[in-house]
């Protein structure tokens, strides 16, 4: 199975891909980070300097910022998820469930950011800021749903435990990690945009 | 099984409760009573808000949000035949219960439509969806009890009680309650876990889209 085929399957039949994830996880993580960093950087940094997109410095900034902005929340998310999941899941399953959840977190992030780029360009060029906030919030809800739904399904396939227990434990871990991760991330993004880039 | 023990089972032993529920024909009357009871307790909790917080912040926010919600504006017909003033508490109480019931029906209707679109082998019934959601809502009765506990806690930990209360409310509405619905729908439909979770999030996204209609100032406020 090629990486592209795997990605297609992952979106269409997520349940079938958990086993492959165990073997190819390192490569897939790298592929996703490589795709996501410039996209994420563009969404955030180029969004602030859309008029000066031709300047090469903006592109360099975008990629550096994209990497920081991508790895920072994932790091915080994984760390929080790991700590909480350790409390609620059985100890030997935490590592695997962390891998599955972080992977889906990254995947959902990539797809949502890809969708955000054209919307952001249209709204910035047309000065319709309401559209961008609106779409951003909806995409955030969809992102959260995707992370929770895919992770619950993935962890359920790994654990073979009662569906309800997995649902509750994974939801608690993800929601807490997401809230803490978002709070840290928003503050970090504010500092980077206000004090480093500007 | 008596109604009260069914209510208790639906909260404490949801897996067994939904398995039993699936074996019987849907009882819409009992489900409607549960939904009314939950709605009344939710509104009572909001009316108690001023006592918990020492200000009418929760009630005022709820009142503003309900009156400006697009569905309420499209369906309101002056329930009591005249405008209810802000100090007619009992009438306001019934009016707000009516609003919550409307929202439940919208929520159930949308879940049914989404489930109908996602259906695989087994066709989902509207009465069954109604019954599952209504019994899942019984969990929110516990929230009313927790609110009562926090009435006392505000004297013991006055600086932190509202943070804890906020997280408990979020946990109830975004973790526990959806988990109960996903479990309940799992017993009555053949939908996969992923799709059943989609059934919960689809109405949440729809409600958010509907909410944004009259509240652009709140969304844009974050940019200014």
């Amino acid at each position: 199975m090629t990486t592209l085929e795997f990605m297609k399957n992952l979106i269409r039949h997520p349940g079938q891909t958990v086993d492959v994830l165990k073997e190819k996880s390192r490569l897939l993580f790298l592929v996703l980070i490589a795709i996501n960093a410039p996209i994420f950087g563009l969404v955030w940094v180029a969004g602030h300097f859309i008029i000066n997109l031709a300047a090469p410095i903006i592109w360099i900034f975008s990629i550096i910022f994209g990497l920081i902005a991508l790895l920072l929340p994932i790091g915080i998310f994984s760390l929080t998820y790991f700590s909480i999941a350790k409390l609620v899941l059985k100890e030997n399953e935490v590592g695997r469930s962390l891998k599955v959840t972080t992977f889906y977190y990254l995947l959902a992030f990539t797809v949502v950011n890809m969708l955000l780029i054209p919307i952001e360009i249209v709204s910035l060029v047309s000065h319709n800021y309401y559209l961008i906030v609106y779409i951003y919030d909806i995409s955030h809800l969809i992102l959260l749903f995707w992370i929770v739904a895919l992770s619950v399904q993935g962890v359920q396939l790994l654990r073979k435990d009662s569906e309800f227990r997995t649902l509750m434990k994974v939801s608690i871990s993800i929601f807490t990690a997401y809230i803490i991760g978002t709070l840290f991330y928003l503050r970090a993004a504010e500092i980077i945009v206000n004090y480093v880039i500007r | 099984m008596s109604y009260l023990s069914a209510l208790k089972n639906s909260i404490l032993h949801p897996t067994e409760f939904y398995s039993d529920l699936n074996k019987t024909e849907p009882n819409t009357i009992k489900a409607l009573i549960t939904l009314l009871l939950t709605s009344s307790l939710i509104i009572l909790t909001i009316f108690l808000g001023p006592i918990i917080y020492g200000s009418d912040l929760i009630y005022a926010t709820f009142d503003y949000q309900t009156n400006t919600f697009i569905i309420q504006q499209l369906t309101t017909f002056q329930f009591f035949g005249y405008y209810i003033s802000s100090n007619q508490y009992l009438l306001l109480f019934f009016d707000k219960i009516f609003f919550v019931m409307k929202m439940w029906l919208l929520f159930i209707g949308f879940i049914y439509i989404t489930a109908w679109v996602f259906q695989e082998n087994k066709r989902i019934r509207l009465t069954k969806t109604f019954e599952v959601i209504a019994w899942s809502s019984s969990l929110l009765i516990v929230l009313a009890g927790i609110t009562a506990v926090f009435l006392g806690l505000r004297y013991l930990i006055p600086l932190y009680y509202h943070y804890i209360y906020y997280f408990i409310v979020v946990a109830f509405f975004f973790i526990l309650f959806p988990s109960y619905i996903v479990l309940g729908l799992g017993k009555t439909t053949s939908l996969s876990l992923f799709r059943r979770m989609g059934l919960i999030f689809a109405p949440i996204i729809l409600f958010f889209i509907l909410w944004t209609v009259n509240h652009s100032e709140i969304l844009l406020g974050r940019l200014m």
Side-chain angles (χ1 to χ4, degrees), chain A residues 14 129-130 133-134 136-138 141-142 145-146 148-150 152-153 156 163-164 167-168 171-172 175 179, chain B residues 14 167 174-176 179-180 182-183 193-194 196-198 201 204-205 208-209 212 216 219-220 222-223:
Chain A
Y129 299 111
Y130 182 67
V133 179
Y134 188 70
Y136 180 77
D137 283 350
I138 290 172
L141 270 177
I142 296 169
F145 151 67
W146 215 12
V148 176
L150 286 172
V152 169
Q153 186 165 304
Q156 165 73 8
E163 191 182 282
F164 185 63
L167 194 67
M168 294 275 287
S171 301
I172 290 168
F175 271 94
I179 290 168
Chain B
F167 277 107
F174 288 96
I175 298 168
L176 281 167
S179 303
Y180 273 61
V182 168
L183 178 74
L193 180 63
F194 182 77
R196 271 182 281 136
M197 293 192 74
F201 277 86
I204 292 175
I205 292 168
F208 176 74
I209 292 169
T212 54
S216 56
L219 279 181
L220 280 172
R222 286 159 35 202
L223 280 180

Side-chain angles (χ1 to χ4, degrees), chain A residues 134 137-138 141-142, chain B residues 69-71 102-114 198-213:
Chain A
Y134 188 70
D137 283 350
I138 290 172
L141 270 177
I142 296 169
Chain B
F69 194 60
I70 188 75
I71 299 294
K102 263 195 298 193
M103 292 305 114
W104 277 123
L105 293 180
L106 182 72
F107 184 67
I108 291 164
F110 196 71
I111 284 191
Y112 174 70
I113 294 166
T114 323
L199 294 187
I200 308 302
F201 277 86
I204 292 175
I205 292 168
L206 176 85
F207 270 96
F208 176 74
I209 292 169
L210 289 173
W211 173 81
T212 54
V213 174

